[in-house]
Amino acid sequence: MKKIVLAYSGGLDTSYCIKFLSEKGFEVEALTVNTGGFSKNEILELESKAIHLGAKNFKIIDAINPFYNKIIKFLIFG
């Protein structure tokens, strides 16, 4: 079985991809990068939705601090 890591936003397009790919026999790993736009409840909903649609696993990467320190603070300073 081939594995795919899918950058998962929870929207229509990526949700369709999970369903389509899992039905085609791929093992889908759903991955979301949190840059500060998700509440804890929204993250739980994303995970539930991804697994329900057929993802084998769901992972969220917490990138709030790196995103701020490498990008946002320079926009603010500018």
Side-chain angles (χ1 to χ4, degrees):
M1 176 178 288
K2 292 185 179 180
K3 294 182 181 182
I4 292 179
V5 176
L6 177 70
Y8 183 62
S9 67
L12 180 61
D13 294 345
T14 56
S15 294
Y16 173 80
C17 288
I18 288 177
K19 187 75 171 167
F20 177 80
L21 292 168
S22 64
E23 287 179 354
K24 293 292 182 184
F26 291 93
E27 184 176 301
V28 180
E29 305 279 336
L31 174 70
T32 299
V33 178
N34 184 6
T35 57
F38 298 107
S39 69
K40 288 183 181 185
N41 190 45
E42 289 171 322
I43 292 168
L44 292 173
E45 288 175 8
L46 279 173
E47 180 177 19
S48 175
K49 185 176 179 182
I51 299 300
H52 177 75
L53 289 168
K56 175 153 179 137
N57 292 306
F58 173 83
K59 182 174 181 175
I60 188 145
I61 296 174
D62 181 358
I64 296 170
N65 287 332
F67 185 65
Y68 173 80
N69 288 324
K70 292 183 178 184
I71 298 171
I72 300 299
K73 81 175 183 182
F74 296 107
L75 295 172
I76 294 169
F77 293 158

